[in-house]
């Protein structure tokens, strides 16, 4: 039976069919529905995170703890971009103090 899915529903289904068992995300992103749909599948664990970096940390931790379990991370922007931007901000603040 064929079923028409939205893009976010299809992303959640694709992650589950690919073997993702853990999902983490930052609420308020345009793709919030991905995690909301992912949690409906059997045998998965999903949670909202305080920010993009924490979502990535949860997924990385699950991979290490569970021995290579697949995960999905749903964020507004790349956690790396968030970390590098914050790092740049901190460096600029240090320069101003000098």
């Amino acid at each position: 039976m064929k079923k028409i899915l939205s893009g976010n529903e299809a992303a959640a289904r694709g992650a589950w069919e690919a073997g993702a068992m853990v999902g983490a995300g930052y609420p308020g992103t345009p793709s919030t529905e991905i995690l909301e749909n992912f949690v409906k599948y059997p045998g998965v664990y999903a949670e909202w995170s305080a920010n993009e970096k924490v979502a990535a940390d949860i997924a990385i931790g699950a991979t290490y703890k569970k021995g290579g379990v697949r995960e999905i991370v749903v964020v507004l922007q790349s956690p790396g971009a968030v970390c590098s931007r914050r790092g740049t901000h901190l460096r600029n603040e240090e320069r101003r103090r000098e």
Side-chain angles (χ1 to χ4, degrees), residues 1-20:
M1 181 173 131
K2 292 184 179 182
K3 182 178 179 183
I4 296 177
L5 302 173
S6 71
N8 289 333
E9 290 170 326
R13 171 106 185 217
W16 180 71
E17 287 185 6

Side-chain angles (χ1 to χ4, degrees), residues 8-85:
N8 289 333
E9 290 170 326
R13 171 106 185 217
W16 180 71
E17 287 185 6
M21 301 305 293
V22 175
Y26 179 65
T29 67
S31 55
T32 297
E33 290 177 357
I34 294 173
L35 204 56
E36 291 173 349
N37 284 288
F38 179 73
V39 76
K40 296 176 184 176
Y41 291 100
V44 301
Y45 173 80
E47 72 175 58
W48 293 119
S49 304
N51 58 43
E52 290 93 342
K53 182 187 178 303
V54 173
D57 289 345
I58 289 168
I60 292 167
T63 299
Y64 280 110
K65 182 170 176 95
K66 301 277 187 175
V69 69
R70 290 186 177 180
E71 78 289 320
I72 181 171
V73 178
V74 180
V75 295
L76 181 59
Q77 54 186 312
S78 162
V82 172
C83 295
S84 65
R85 189 178 68 223

